[in-house]
């Protein structure tokens, strides 16, 4: 399904509205986000024709967003191999998205446990959890249709995710939520209007970008609220923990197995990705807005910045 001009305009208008709410109180923001959710939410289960055959010439993500684009390895590939690579890469990204969206759901529910049930903040938090459940199902169906494979983080990163999920509080939890969603958003915005990409994947990206703009606004408000009156030691610690979590999430997005499943030499592909200046530049430029917010919130400390630079997010 091709993204229409009206839908694209809705995304732009919605994003502008989110920015305009920045200086309002948390409950007022939540009220507006609830109204936005009721007005703009979409259902991938009915909007996407999951039985429609895939065009064998269409990519899983824009070629320019492939982790190997611009490398010698990419130049050696046939067009069929490039298509297969982007499909497995994006399936991996969506599957890792499911993993951290499940972490986010538990953190939000825990944060709202015994909360003010009558408040708009509580009600939007549960709306966010419901959205994340739908997104995870959408990603699962999309990756199943595209490649029929599931990808998971390494066992070590999976264990770290459980620790983070059970221990993160306040600004660490909500900045973690924001960073994880922004990382996925980076990939999806770059591909959602590219007609070289499978139509149903473009629709998946469009739906997620639209709905996650609300979630990211909510997370920003929670971070700002949590950071009020925070001392130097806590700020340094929180910033470092979030940066390390972000680094693990980002470096887990495209699993080595995805290269193997696409018929490539995984070791060579991973080495090519690490040295790919084009991919690094794309990531850095797309993360500029996130880094600006972290700086504004006092969470882009020197130690944290070093971590972000190491994984090319800064």
């Amino acid at each position: 399904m091709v993204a229409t001009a009206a839908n694209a305009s809705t995304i732009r208008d919605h994003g502008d509205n989110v920015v305009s709410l920045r200086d309002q109180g948390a409950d007022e923001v939540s009220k507006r986000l609830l109204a936005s959710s009721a007005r703009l939410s979409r259902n991938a289960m009915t909007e996407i024709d999951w039985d429609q055959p895939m065009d064998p010439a269409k990519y899983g993500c824009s070629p320019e967003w492939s982790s190997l684009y611009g490398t010698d390895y990419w130049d050696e590939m046939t067009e069929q191999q490039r298509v297969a690579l982007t499909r497995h890469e994006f399936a991996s990204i969506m599957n890792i998205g499911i993993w951290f969206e499940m972490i986010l759901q538990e953190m939000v529910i825990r944060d709202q446990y015994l909360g003010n049930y009558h408040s708009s903040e509580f009600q939007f938090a549960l709306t966010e959890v419901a959205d994340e459940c739908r997104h995870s199902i959408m990603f699962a169906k999309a990756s199943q249709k595209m490649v029929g494979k599931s990808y998971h983080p390494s066992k070590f990163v999976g264990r770290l995710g459980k620790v983070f999920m059970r221990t993160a509080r306040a600004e660490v939890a909500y900045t973690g939520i924001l960073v994880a969603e922004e990382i996925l958003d980076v990939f999806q915005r770059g591909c959602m209007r590219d007609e070289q990409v499978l139509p149903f994947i473009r629709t998946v990206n469009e739906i997620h970008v639209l709905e996650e703009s609300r979630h990211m606004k909510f997370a920003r408000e929670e971070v700002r609220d949590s950071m009020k009156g925070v001392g130097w030691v806590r700020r340094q610690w929180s910033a470092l923990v979030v940066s390390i979590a972000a680094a693990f999430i980002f470096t887990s997005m495209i699993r080595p197995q995805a290269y193997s499943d696409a018929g490539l030499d995984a070791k060579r592909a991973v080495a090519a990705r690490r040295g790919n200046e084009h991919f690094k530049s794309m990531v850095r430029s797309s993360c500029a807005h996130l880094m600006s917010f972290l700086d504004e919130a006092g969470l882009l400390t020197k130690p944290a910045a070093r971590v972000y630079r190491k994984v090319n997010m800064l």
Side-chain angles (χ1 to χ4, degrees), residues 17 22 30 46 49 66 85-86 101 111 117 120 131 139 162 169 174 230 235 242 263 288 300 303 306:
N17 186 46
R22 180 167 293 174
S30 296
T46 56
D49 181 357
S66 170
L85 170 63
T86 60
E101 284 192 340
D111 186 61
Y117 301 152
S120 297
D131 286 346
F139 288 164
K162 283 187 177 181
R169 298 289 189 277
Y174 280 100
V230 166
R235 182 168 63 86
V242 170
L300 191 60
R306 282 195 291 270

Side-chain angles (χ1 to χ4, degrees), residues 21 27-41 118-128 214:
L21 296 175
D27 201 59
E28 181 63 24
V29 169
S30 296
K31 286 180 182 178
R32 293 188 178 234
L33 293 176
L34 277 168
S36 174
S37 178
R39 188 174 67 253
L40 298 173
S41 290
H118 66 281
S119 71
S120 297
E121 179 183 1
F122 172 83
Q123 291 166 32
F124 182 74
L126 264 62
T127 300
E128 178 171 348
R214 293 191 290 267

Side-chain angles (χ1 to χ4, degrees), residues 2 4 8 18 34 69 98 124 128 157 175 261 266 284 287 291:
V2 178
T4 64
V18 165
L34 277 168
Y69 183 85
I98 294 171
F124 182 74
E128 178 171 348
V157 173
T175 309
D261 291 339
R284 276 194 300 269
C287 287
M291 294 299 126

Side-chain angles (χ1 to χ4, degrees), residues 22 287-300 314:
R22 180 167 293 174
C287 287
H289 181 261
L290 170 62
M291 294 299 126
S292 177
F293 172 77
L294 294 179
D295 191 28
E296 171 201 327
L299 290 166
L300 191 60
L314 179 64

Side-chain angles (χ1 to χ4, degrees), residues 60-76:
C61 67
S62 297
E64 294 80 7
W65 272 101
S66 170
S67 63
L68 300 186
Y69 183 85
T71 65
D72 291 340
Y73 206 173
W74 177 270
D75 292 340
E76 294 173 18

